[in-house]
Amino acid sequence: MKFKAMAPINYYSLMPVRTEISETILATANERGVDKSTCPSEIARMLFPDDWRKHMEEVRDIAIALHREGKVVITQKGIPVDVDHIKGPVRIKINL
């Protein structure tokens, strides 16, 4: 089996998208306040309305990174979860 060589990925070109996702997560969570949360799919739909499912993993990964920075809390059924052992749907809350 032969494999085609892939073009190198320019990770710097991905930074604006990652920043936009991060900013949207923080703005939405902040808007909702500490008593409400948002779903990663809401963020994906806001930013990528035509192909949001394709971006779900990226949105979730960035939300987890923001959790690790202490900016948001990742929850399941309203309870903070260990982000290293997530199974199932999650929600994002602002961490004040």
Side-chain angles (χ1 to χ4, degrees):
M1 180 183 283
K2 290 185 179 184
F3 294 97
K4 285 186 173 182
M6 292 179 58
I9 296 173
N10 180 355
Y11 289 102
Y12 293 105
S13 68
L14 300 176
M15 289 305 291
V17 173
R18 293 186 66 80
T19 300
E20 186 175 7
I21 293 170
S22 179
E23 289 173 354
T24 303
I25 290 170
L26 291 172
T28 304
N30 196 46
E31 241 175 60
R32 302 269 167 102
V34 294
D35 295 327
K36 296 191 178 190
S37 61
T38 187
C39 180
S41 68
E42 292 177 66
I43 305 301
R45 289 170 204 237
M46 283 184 223
L47 296 171
F48 312 100
D50 295 330
D51 60 350
W52 64 272
R53 284 182 179 90
K54 187 172 95 173
H55 297 277
M56 279 297 298
E57 185 175 351
E58 184 177 12
V59 170
R60 193 169 160 151
D61 289 348
I62 292 170
I64 289 169
L66 291 170
H67 172 90
R68 288 192 169 118
E69 293 173 13
K71 296 178 180 177
V72 300
V73 178
I74 303 294
T75 65
Q76 288 182 313
K77 298 181 182 180
I79 300 168
V81 296
D82 176 356
V83 295
D84 292 320
H85 299 96
I86 294 175
K87 289 183 182 176
V90 298
R91 305 283 294 178
I92 306 164
K93 293 178 74 168
I94 196 69
N95 189 21
L96 296 178

